[in-house]
Amino acid sequence: MERELKIYEPEEEIILNMGPQHPSTHGVLRIILKLSGEKIVDVKPDIGYLHRGVEKLGETYTYVQFLPMLDRNDYLSATTNEFGYVLAVEKLAGIMVPERAQYIRVIFSELSRIASHLVWLGTFCLDLGGALGGGTTVFLYCFRERERILDIFEKMTGSRLHPHLMQIGGVRYDVYPSIDKDIKETLQTVEKRINEYEEMLINNPVFIDRTKGIGILPKEVAMEYGCSGPVLRGSGVKFDLRKACPYSSYDKFDFDVPSFDGGDVFDRFRVRMEEMRQSIKIIMQAIEGLPQGPISSQMPVKVKVAIKPKPGEVYVAVESPRGELGYYIYSDGKPFAYRVKIRAPSFSNLSVLPFLLKGHLVADVVAILGSIDPVFGDVDR
């Protein structure tokens, strides 16, 4: 007598708390997962564990005093946080920035982008686990290359993670004598090794299985949620603020905006790999064409300490490694802003997580979350 084969179906759903302290979140995030077996049926992200009231501080301190605090938001790309804020204040106050300062801003913003993407790539491979094979190797290699970039930051500003390079009206430091040699040697090494890492991963069947067809984000959904940066471009939307609304001389540089139509984890990986190559291209053009002149507008010292923009409001956004980083400032004519609002790309990108996770397995959570690349100082603020 043949026995009937019965497929196990879970009779009830369970709730699983992932985080808030979980290695793959790279910060403090709690994800409440409702599971049927290993399949995800509902998702509720719980944020706010790293909230520090940064926007309120922007309404308490002067425009100049508030600037160093922004390095701590997206702590993997501190220079970009400074960049958007100084552009907003300069637009509000009608302050012009010398061309040399604009080029220096671009150079270090793009170095930050490469360093940030290297952290993402290394930790992403580490999170995928031992089954990937070589994940730990890629992690160590990426941090090795990142160290060389941080060495340049240290020689330039004295700091590796929070450089406080930008200032309202320009930059605080001029380039040191051997910076062109240091940058060229570093970027040649980084570009060569990016190709090696990509070859290691795209020829790894486990990596392909964990990323291709996983976490598909249609472009319509990405735009509806306000996604930006590599998350948006990985869904086929070729939008980059450096091209769409050029700032700080970006219109003078030749570079491409990579995008792929798959919308999955693999395509978000491909976007970031290609972005590093394009950043190298921009930096090499900027260092070769670095103009002579002052590094900051010639403002009296007293004005630098107490900038008082006329009453009004402004919104300025830059392209951070995670997407559109915008600053809304409302001035009532005092030395500090009446209202500061930060449009954080990590926050908007993370909001699409419930859509991406539903229907997938618990094992896919780490890969999908990693492909969004949130920084929780940026999310909570």
Side-chain angles (χ1 to χ4, degrees):
M1 181 179 177
E2 292 186 4
R3 297 178 62 183
E4 183 181 353
L5 180 62
K6 292 184 178 180
I7 299 175
Y8 170 73
E9 291 288 347
E11 295 181 0
E12 60 181 31
E13 297 172 342
I14 64 170
I15 302 296
L16 175 67
N17 282 287
M18 179 178 169
Q21 269 82 26
H22 189 282
S24 73
T25 62
H26 304 286
V28 277
L29 169 69
R30 177 181 175 224
I31 307 175
I32 306 168
L33 300 171
K34 183 182 285 188
L35 305 176
S36 176
E38 290 193 33
K39 187 176 180 181
I40 300 168
V41 296
D42 195 20
V43 182
K44 291 183 180 178
D46 185 11
I47 65 173
Y49 291 91
L50 207 56
H51 177 65
R52 292 156 293 140
V54 173
E55 293 176 353
K56 194 63 181 177
L57 290 173
E59 301 163 14
T60 305
Y61 291 90
T62 68
Y63 291 99
V64 176
Q65 291 172 335
F66 179 52
L67 184 54
M69 300 179 193
L70 295 171
D71 285 12
R72 280 80 179 165
N73 277 358
D74 180 352
Y75 34 79
L76 295 182
S77 182
T79 307
T80 313
N81 290 261
E82 302 170 11
F83 205 168
Y85 181 73
V86 295
L87 287 175
V89 176
E90 287 158 1
K91 184 175 180 179
L92 191 61
I95 298 171
M96 303 301 293
V97 179
E99 192 175 28
R100 183 177 179 85
Q102 293 180 27
Y103 273 57
I104 294 172
R105 287 178 172 184
V106 167
I107 290 168
F108 282 88
S109 178
E110 296 306 315
L111 284 172
S112 287
R113 191 182 313 277
I114 298 170
S116 176
H117 283 351
L118 286 172
V119 172
W120 167 79
L121 178 61
T123 54
F124 180 66
C125 291
L126 192 65
D127 291 341
L128 291 183
L132 177 60
T136 305
T137 303
V138 175
F139 169 77
L140 294 173
Y141 283 174
C142 287
F143 271 68
R144 176 189 62 188
E145 269 60 82
R146 177 176 177 257
E147 282 298 302
R148 297 193 59 168
I149 294 174
L150 296 186
D151 286 343
I152 296 172
F153 272 93
E154 186 175 16
K155 290 178 74 171
M156 178 76 173
T157 68
S159 177
R160 299 171 70 78
L161 198 61
H162 300 141
H164 192 26
L165 172 65
M166 313 270 183
Q167 71 174 14
I168 298 167
V171 291
R172 296 181 66 196
Y173 311 99
D174 204 348
V175 295
Y176 57 88
S178 62
I179 193 170
D180 55 341
K181 178 176 177 291
D182 289 349
I183 285 179
K184 288 175 183 177
E185 289 179 354
T186 297
L187 295 186
Q188 285 170 2
T189 302
V190 170
E191 186 169 27
K192 177 184 175 183
R193 287 177 174 158
I194 288 171
N195 297 333
E196 292 176 4
Y197 307 153
E198 190 171 44
E199 187 176 350
M200 287 173 62
L201 294 171
I202 63 176
N203 292 320
N204 186 322
V206 177
F207 181 82
I208 298 300
D209 286 345
R210 295 293 305 274
T211 58
K212 273 202 170 182
I214 303 297
I216 295 176
L217 178 64
K219 64 180 180 180
E220 295 81 11
V221 177
M223 290 188 288
E224 183 180 345
Y225 276 86
C227 296
S228 59
V231 174
L232 182 64
R233 292 189 285 274
S235 295
V237 181
K238 208 179 186 73
F239 180 80
D240 188 311
L241 287 166
R242 295 171 295 173
K243 282 283 191 183
C245 308
Y247 53 92
S248 197
S249 299
Y250 268 109
D251 55 334
K252 297 182 180 179
F253 305 119
D254 177 35
F255 66 100
D256 298 321
V257 177
S259 67
F260 298 95
D261 296 329
D264 56 7
V265 172
F266 184 72
D267 276 355
R268 292 190 279 277
F269 154 78
R270 289 205 293 167
V271 166
R272 292 187 179 95
M273 298 301 288
E274 187 57 35
E275 276 191 4
M276 287 192 277
R277 298 187 180 98
Q278 295 302 319
S279 290
I280 291 171
K281 189 176 178 181
I282 293 170
I283 295 166
M284 297 300 283
Q285 293 174 71
I287 203 73
E288 290 287 351
L290 185 63
Q292 297 297 319
I295 61 169
S296 185
S297 54
Q298 301 303 307
M299 298 167 58
V301 175
K302 289 183 180 179
V303 176
K304 284 186 179 181
V305 174
I307 295 172
K308 295 182 180 180
K310 293 180 180 179
E313 59 184 346
V314 68
Y315 176 80
V316 174
V318 295
E319 188 71 32
S320 90
R322 270 147 283 282
E324 181 179 340
L325 172 61
Y327 289 90
Y328 169 81
I329 302 175
Y330 183 90
S331 169
D332 59 356
K334 295 179 181 177
F336 45 84
Y338 179 82
R339 179 74 174 98
V340 175
K341 176 72 176 77
I342 303 173
R343 193 274 181 198
S346 293
F347 178 85
S348 298
N349 291 344
L350 192 68
S351 67
V352 82
L353 191 63
F355 176 88
L356 291 177
L357 291 182
K358 286 178 184 177
H360 284 285
L361 302 178
V362 177
D364 295 322
V365 173
V366 170
I368 294 171
L369 176 62
S371 74
I372 296 176
D373 188 25
V375 169
F376 287 93
D378 194 40
V379 173
D380 296 332
R381 298 186 300 287

